[in-house]
Amino acid sequence: MKPIVLNQPDTSYLVIGNEAIARGAIEAGVDFCAAYPGNPSSEIMETLASVSKDLNFYAEWSVNEKVALEAATAASFAGLRAITSMKQNGVNVVSDFLTNLTLSGTKGGLVLVTCDDPGGISSTNEEDARPFSKLAEVPMLEPSNPQEALDMTTFAFDLSEEIGSLCIMRSTSRISHSRGNVVFSPLPERKRIPSIDPSNLRNTFPVALKHQTVIEKLETAKKIFETSKFNSYTGSENPELLIITCGTGYLYSREAINLLGLWDKIGLLKLGTTWPLPENLINVNLTKSNNILIVEEVQPFLEDNIKSIYAQNAINLGLKSFFGKSSGHIPKIGELNPDILLNAISKILNIKYQFQDKEYSDKAKNTASNLTPPRELGFCPGCPHRASFFNIKNALKFDARNGFVSGDIGCYTMAIWPTGFKQVNSVHAMGSGVGLASGYGKLHELGFNQPIISVVGDSTFFHAGLPPLINAVYNKSNFLLIVLDNSATAMTGFQPHPGTGINAKGEPTNKINIEDVCNAVGAKVEIVDPFDIDNASKSIYRLLQNENGVRVIIMRRKCALVQRKEGGFPYKVEIDSDKCIGEECGCNRYCTRVFRCPGLIWDKVSGKTKIDTVICVGCGVCAKICPKNAIILKEVKRND
């Protein structure tokens, strides 16, 4: 049995931050969970879905984040406790509903968890979702370790019900994925029966009056936050430097102070309740020092708002020096680390600190590099997207009208790099590739004469690809949409979506066929196998010539990782060294230089291509591109 469902109070378990958030929701008696996957948030819903049958609550992967919040809100309106989780980009998607929900208020506890990705480790941006709490005027909490992640989640449900408002909790990559010992509390007995009182209208009218209520709710939250256990002060009572921080910044600050041995000179104010800010608590601590360093990741959210509080009370607090992102002591981009804090504190307090010797650091880095085989960022061996973009590249080259690809978000985003033949021209928000193509497709009326291809994954098609497709058909736009259907939300961990035929619990459900949807909205549809190189390239080329409205090709082939779990590919791949004549071929190492599957290696010694038998999965696509037929396929039994 998974530890997350154990009812053994006061027992400590080693879990990651996202599992701690899921456990916090369970301990709070959550009834309804809905989310859309996105790193670093996915494990929250995966954990909840995996135990939902055992604990008898509802869990779903929704088609996008806005729908997830709307579904969770319905449960809240019915008096149940509900949670939704997403990455920072998802908060953009929910923002329209969020800013209305604020006014209508909630009933059962409702918590939105945003997991931000400082540094954009697995994101198209490193957006800070915290300003949405200020924009929507809802309370926000920020944990600094897995234990706080659990404790804050249960508290957020209670606070939500106390003030009748959604509560946001913001995690970041390092909190969500760091592992720590977390003490569990008892599991509650859940006895809520959902019920809607039709006479209790859930709308935003009258807007101004409801807005006043929102402000009053925030004031209540602020009073609660003034004495919250999630805020703490440690260090000197008369510090030369006061550090105010939250989240991961607290851990890095504490480590830097420990390394410098400066607890007698530095005070550390940790804020776990970051909106609305506990103004009195901050004012009291601002009196302790004239030098204030504010430490946080991504945007200067604390910094700007604390300066605003200071400005209101400057006549009593006197002159202060503020350090942080605006002063350049804390970087405006990327993740923090202890070295950044050591550097900032040393500069402010004029302390000499011996950082790690650069020569030693460079030597260690070079040694590690020499022991690691070079790998470029690219598709997995056997990935259908490599074949899909190979087909797109060939079709556009034959077309010779300087066509281009309007891209989208998913594993296939890697087609912006050489391993995807640099075929994708632009990548923005989910579904925006189709939306941009919808606009490009109207430019022909203004003299534009380049062919347009838009690519979108199967999960993204359901998430945000449908509205721009409908817009394009409705407005008679002219482009070719290629749906890269690998039957998985592969980039975030193979979560199901409406096209997979199973739900979050792994149960069979209605499968929504992408071709049926496209046909229903009036687009012409063809289905091809991207591994069928000749036919797929010809289909793309043919539909590029037929410039009549929106055409759709569904390139359907299972994700290679899914295929591997289901028994693997049917071939053992070998090189016929007599047929491979290397540099003398005239192909200019087409297989290793252009096709770039990591299972193919150029052997400088022999001057021929080799198969990396550890990496090659046996998909067999490379055999179709060799001009000398030197790549040989031998059929094998699955699992052989």
Side-chain angles (χ1 to χ4, degrees):
M1 181 173 288
K2 296 182 178 180
I4 211 78
V5 302
L6 296 178
N7 195 10
Q8 297 175 345
D10 302 323
T11 304
S12 176
Y13 294 96
L14 187 64
V15 297
I16 64 170
N18 281 347
E19 292 170 328
I21 292 169
R23 173 71 186 192
I26 293 168
E27 291 184 6
V30 72
D31 303 287
F32 194 105
C33 315
Y36 184 80
N39 193 53
S41 72
S42 300
E43 295 88 355
I44 298 171
M45 184 61 193
E46 285 179 343
T47 303
L48 289 167
S50 68
V51 301
S52 59
K53 288 181 181 176
D54 298 326
L55 299 177
N56 193 31
F57 60 77
Y58 178 77
E60 72 170 40
W61 286 115
S62 307
V63 293
N64 64 37
E65 296 85 354
K66 179 172 178 281
V67 174
L69 178 59
E70 289 163 342
T73 298
S76 171
F77 285 170
L80 303 182
R81 287 193 161 189
I83 190 170
T84 183
S85 58
M86 58 201 68
K87 65 185 301 177
Q88 77 276 1
N89 306 84
V91 185
N92 300 334
V93 180
V94 307
S95 61
D96 195 5
F97 179 67
L98 175 63
T99 51
N100 283 274
L101 175 61
T102 305
L103 295 177
S104 71
T106 57
K107 184 179 179 184
L110 181 59
V111 177
L112 185 159
V113 182
T114 171
C115 297
D116 293 2
D117 186 14
I121 299 168
S122 58
S123 305
T124 52
N125 66 21
E126 61 167 342
E127 179 184 334
D128 190 328
R130 291 180 298 176
F132 278 103
S133 65
K134 187 175 181 180
L135 175 71
E137 299 177 297
V138 295
M140 181 176 63
L141 303 157
E142 287 192 67
S144 61
N145 57 52
Q147 181 68 61
E148 272 199 339
L150 187 156
D151 296 340
M152 282 186 178
T153 304
T154 57
F155 172 79
F157 278 101
D158 293 339
L159 178 63
S160 172
E161 286 185 355
E162 183 173 346
I163 65 174
S165 170
L166 168 82
C167 287
I168 293 177
M169 190 166 83
R170 184 224 192 193
S171 179
T172 55
S173 304
R174 298 298 160 185
I175 301 296
S176 287
H177 291 160
S178 64
R179 197 171 288 275
N181 285 317
V182 174
V183 179
F184 288 0
S185 294
L187 297 181
E189 292 186 10
R190 298 167 48 255
K191 295 181 179 177
R192 298 183 189 86
I193 304 297
S195 177
I196 294 285
D197 178 3
S199 66
N200 187 3
L201 302 179
R202 292 289 180 184
N203 58 44
T204 66
F205 304 106
V207 173
L209 189 60
K210 292 280 182 72
H211 194 187
Q212 178 60 39
T213 303
V214 171
I215 292 170
E216 291 168 1
K217 289 177 180 178
L218 267 187
E219 284 300 314
T220 301
K222 183 189 286 188
K223 288 178 184 176
I224 294 171
F225 288 174
E226 291 288 357
T227 57
S228 171
K229 65 178 181 181
F230 300 123
N231 304 321
S232 64
Y233 181 86
T234 50
S236 171
E237 284 302 316
N238 297 294
E240 292 182 27
L241 176 67
L242 170 66
I243 297 177
I244 304 178
T245 185
C246 63
T248 53
Y250 170 66
L251 301 177
Y252 298 138
S253 299
R254 197 174 62 180
E255 184 171 344
I257 299 170
N258 283 336
L259 288 170
L260 292 167
L262 290 178
W263 283 108
D264 60 331
K265 294 184 177 179
I266 297 178
L268 182 60
L269 175 61
K270 179 185 84 73
L271 296 175
T273 63
T274 46
W275 192 259
L277 285 168
E279 192 169 335
N280 293 333
L281 177 69
I282 290 170
N283 270 323
V284 167
N285 283 281
L286 286 177
T287 63
K288 293 178 177 176
S289 180
N290 290 331
N291 297 308
I292 319 296
L293 171 62
I294 300 174
V295 178
E296 58 192 322
E297 287 184 319
V298 193
Q299 293 186 1
F301 182 80
L302 286 184
E303 187 172 327
D304 290 348
N305 288 297
I306 288 173
K307 284 178 178 176
S308 176
I309 291 172
Y310 166 74
Q312 288 292 328
N313 300 279
I315 194 167
N316 298 320
L317 291 169
L319 289 176
K320 305 283 181 185
S321 295
F322 284 90
F323 306 95
K325 293 179 182 292
S326 59
S327 69
H329 289 80
I330 301 296
K332 294 180 179 178
I333 60 171
E335 288 189 291
L336 297 178
N337 60 51
D339 276 353
I340 291 172
L341 268 296
L342 285 166
N343 190 44
I345 294 170
S346 299
K347 282 184 179 177
I348 295 169
L349 296 182
N350 195 26
I351 294 170
K352 290 185 179 179
Y353 178 77
Q354 180 61 51
F355 288 90
Q356 188 178 53
D357 180 68
K358 188 175 184 308
E359 186 178 349
Y360 175 84
S361 179
D362 290 344
K363 186 178 179 182
K365 185 177 179 181
N366 291 333
T367 301
S369 298
N370 292 335
L371 295 173
T372 307
R375 288 277 185 266
E376 57 187 347
L377 196 58
F379 299 119
C380 303
C383 175
H385 297 333
R386 177 183 293 101
S388 294
F389 283 105
F390 187 76
N391 292 316
I392 291 170
K393 178 181 79 73
N394 289 337
L396 287 174
K397 190 171 183 179
F398 280 125
D399 180 86
R401 287 180 293 162
N402 207 21
F404 63 96
V405 179
S406 179
D408 222 296
I409 298 169
C411 299
Y412 49 95
T413 303
M414 285 187 285
I416 64 175
W417 290 305
T419 47
F421 319 112
K422 294 184 177 179
Q423 288 302 295
V424 169
N425 173 265
S426 61
V427 177
H428 296 88
M430 297 276 280
S432 292
V434 189
L436 285 168
S438 177
Y440 289 135
K442 294 302 296 180
L443 300 183
H444 294 97
E445 299 170 9
L446 304 174
F448 188 75
N449 61 2
Q450 296 171 250
I452 307 139
I453 294 176
S454 175
V455 292
V456 66
D458 42 334
S459 185
T460 307
F461 175 83
F462 291 110
H463 177 285
L466 261 175
L469 173 62
I470 291 171
N471 181 73
V473 173
Y474 170 67
N475 287 299
K476 298 183 179 179
S477 186
N478 177 19
F479 67 95
L480 173 61
L481 171 63
I482 296 180
V483 181
L484 303 169
D485 182 3
N486 63 358
S487 305
T489 318
M491 193 172 187
T492 54
F494 307 102
Q495 295 83 6
H497 60 64
T500 60
I502 57 172
N503 64 18
K505 299 179 182 180
E507 300 165 334
T509 185
N510 295 328
K511 179 177 180 179
I512 312 298
N513 289 316
I514 295 173
E515 52 269 39
D516 291 346
V517 175
C518 293
N519 276 318
V521 302
K524 300 174 183 176
V525 185
E526 292 187 17
I527 301 172
V528 300
D529 179 356
F531 282 10
D532 184 0
I533 296 291
D534 287 342
N535 184 51
S537 294
K538 289 176 182 175
S539 295
I540 296 170
Y541 176 78
R542 174 170 45 79
L543 290 180
L544 282 177
Q545 311 313 307
N546 178 17
E547 296 179 348
N548 183 22
V550 180
R551 296 87 70 198
V552 178
I553 291 180
I554 300 173
M555 303 196 85
R556 180 167 289 154
R557 169 68 74 155
K558 282 183 183 177
C559 168
L561 300 178
V562 174
Q563 185 69 46
R564 202 166 189 173
K565 290 178 184 175
E566 296 180 355
F569 291 93
Y571 302 114
K572 181 180 180 181
V573 183
E574 297 178 349
I575 300 295
D576 185 332
S577 58
D578 292 331
K579 291 183 177 178
C580 178
I581 53 178
E583 300 285 10
E584 298 175 11
C585 175
C587 70
N588 197 13
R589 295 193 284 117
Y590 197 59
C591 57
T592 55
R593 187 184 61 83
V594 177
F595 194 64
R596 301 172 96 99
C597 176
L600 296 165
I601 305 170
W602 177 250
D603 185 353
K604 293 180 180 177
V605 176
S606 65
K608 299 176 186 289
T609 293
K610 291 175 62 179
I611 300 295
D612 187 332
T613 56
V614 175
I615 293 177
C616 177
V617 296
C619 72
V621 176
C622 57
K624 301 173 183 175
I625 66 167
C626 176
K628 294 295 183 182
N629 297 317
I631 302 176
I632 309 300
L633 304 182
K634 293 186 176 180
E635 288 198 27
V636 293
K637 294 180 181 177
R638 287 192 170 184
N639 298 320
D640 191 357

